[in-house]
Amino acid sequence: MRLQEYLEKDRDRLLAGLQQAGTADRAIPVIESEFDRLLYQYNEECSSDYERRCAAQMLQTARMAVPLLDCIGETKIWEQGGKLLTGEKSKVRLPAILLLLIGIALPVAAVIVMVGTDEALRQVMTLPAIGACFAGGLLCLFLAGLFFKKKNNAVYSEKQLKAENKVDANKIYQALHSILLIVDRNLGEALSAQRLEERQRAEANEQPQDNAALTLYGDLLEAARAGDGEYALDQLGKVTFYLHQQGIETLEYSTENRTWFDVIPGERKETIRPALVKDGKLLKKGIVSGDW
């Protein structure tokens, strides 16, 4: 299964994670985690270590490019107010104006009567009456002050604008899908090249061996038809060299390798058939005779 197919299976889970992350900086770990998950799933199906190494290298390269993804979607902007300040502002009302005028008029009228020349008014404005005018004027001034309404005004410091870039989850998914399409193609090319190299190497190794085997078989057949025993034995001696070319060694009997031989009764101690060994492993047991 290809990497992009694994991604398609993870589509809903990946989109949900990206939408929950919201911003680009929080979306990067989600994408990197998805790369790790894809590599793990791919390695489970790999048939060779070479394929695993290639996939790991290519996904690591793709993962390094994650911060470069241009996947900004909606931009969210909001205002943030400053510190709230309060101030007081006085507001003049009509009753306050009237009381203020009366408060001024009463004392002024009392003074005018006191210094005036009208004898009738002076007789009416006795000392208690003048005191009452001054007292009434002061009371009106006091009440006028109370009627002035104080209003609290809310004053804010300068507002600040903040912006938050929201990622586009679908855009990220499409970008990852395109990246994995290229990775799958490169993996296919790398595996094809590796298989071709192995086949060419195998053919190169097998051809000399086949030629050597054909030469040996031909010499043995020639010796068998010649009817010359000495010539036949000389050709049989080439078998040891041919086996050596194949990495197979012919071993004579010794106390160190006695488990590689079958012992049969005999008057003489001799190796009837050498043991065949390759890379330290026994391929064919040898045969010895006599009392060892």
Side-chain angles (χ1 to χ4, degrees):
M1 186 178 291
R2 295 179 299 174
L3 286 166
Q4 58 179 328
E5 294 175 353
Y6 288 118
L7 178 66
E8 291 169 359
K9 285 187 174 183
D10 281 353
R11 183 178 184 277
D12 293 338
R13 187 189 61 81
L14 176 60
L15 291 178
L18 292 172
Q19 290 172 354
Q20 183 178 3
T23 60
D25 57 339
R26 292 196 295 268
I28 289 177
V30 176
I31 302 174
E32 292 177 342
S33 177
E34 180 64 18
F35 274 120
D36 293 338
R37 179 181 175 86
L38 292 174
L39 180 60
Y40 175 80
Q41 292 176 325
Y42 188 81
N43 285 342
E44 291 292 317
E45 302 292 334
C46 281
S47 58
S48 66
D49 291 337
Y50 176 79
E51 186 176 359
R52 294 186 182 93
R53 289 195 301 271
C54 287
Q57 292 172 357
M58 293 182 186
L59 285 181
Q60 182 65 27
T61 302
R63 180 174 176 173
M64 293 176 63
V66 168
L68 303 179
L69 289 177
D70 180 15
C71 300
I72 302 302
E74 175 188 2
T75 300
K76 181 180 179 182
I77 302 177
W78 72 92
E79 296 180 350
Q80 183 177 5
K83 184 178 179 181
L84 176 63
L85 304 176
T86 58
E88 293 184 348
K89 182 179 180 181
S90 297
K91 182 178 180 181
V92 179
R93 303 176 63 185
L94 181 59
I97 297 175
L98 294 177
L99 289 172
L100 178 62
L101 295 177
I102 295 172
I104 297 174
L106 288 175
V108 171
V111 171
I112 292 173
V113 171
M114 290 175 61
V115 299
T117 58
D118 191 339
E119 187 65 27
L121 289 176
R122 293 178 63 183
Q123 290 178 356
V124 174
M125 295 296 295
T126 61
L127 186 59
I130 294 173
C133 288
F134 276 96
L138 293 175
L139 179 60
C140 289
L141 292 175
F142 176 74
L143 294 176
L146 294 179
F147 274 97
F148 277 96
K149 182 180 180 181
K150 293 182 178 179
K151 180 181 179 181
N152 291 332
N153 290 335
V155 181
Y156 291 88
S157 61
E158 183 179 358
K159 292 182 178 180
Q160 298 177 352
L161 295 180
K162 288 192 175 182
E164 183 179 75
N165 292 322
K166 307 288 288 185
V167 295
D168 189 330
N170 289 311
K171 189 175 181 181
I172 291 178
Y173 175 81
Q174 293 299 329
L176 292 180
H177 195 276
S178 299
I179 291 173
L180 294 181
L181 180 63
I182 297 175
V183 172
D184 282 331
R185 184 180 63 192
N186 291 340
L187 275 174
E189 294 176 353
L191 293 177
S192 297
Q194 193 258 351
R195 284 193 291 266
L196 177 61
E197 183 181 352
E198 289 181 349
R199 184 165 58 251
Q200 292 174 344
R201 188 184 304 114
E203 292 174 353
N205 293 334
E206 290 175 359
Q207 189 65 30
Q209 296 174 3
D210 293 342
N211 290 338
L214 291 174
T215 301
L216 175 63
Y217 299 153
D219 290 343
L220 292 176
L221 290 172
E222 181 183 353
R225 292 178 178 271
D228 187 341
E230 184 177 352
Y231 177 70
L233 290 175
D234 182 60
Q235 297 302 318
L236 287 173
K238 295 181 179 179
V239 174
T240 301
F241 178 72
Y242 173 76
L243 293 175
H244 175 73
Q245 287 181 319
Q246 311 304 312
I248 301 173
E249 302 298 333
T250 57
L251 298 182
E252 298 293 326
Y253 178 86
S254 67
T255 56
E256 289 79 8
N257 58 23
R258 58 173 42 179
T259 58
W260 290 352
F261 289 85
D262 291 328
V263 181
I264 63 175
E267 295 181 358
R268 293 187 305 172
K269 294 182 178 180
E270 61 179 350
T271 301
I272 298 176
R273 184 181 70 201
L276 302 180
V277 179
K278 183 176 182 178
D279 298 330
K281 296 181 179 180
L282 179 65
L283 299 180
K284 182 73 174 178
K285 270 192 172 185
I287 301 176
V288 294
S289 65
D291 184 11
W292 293 87

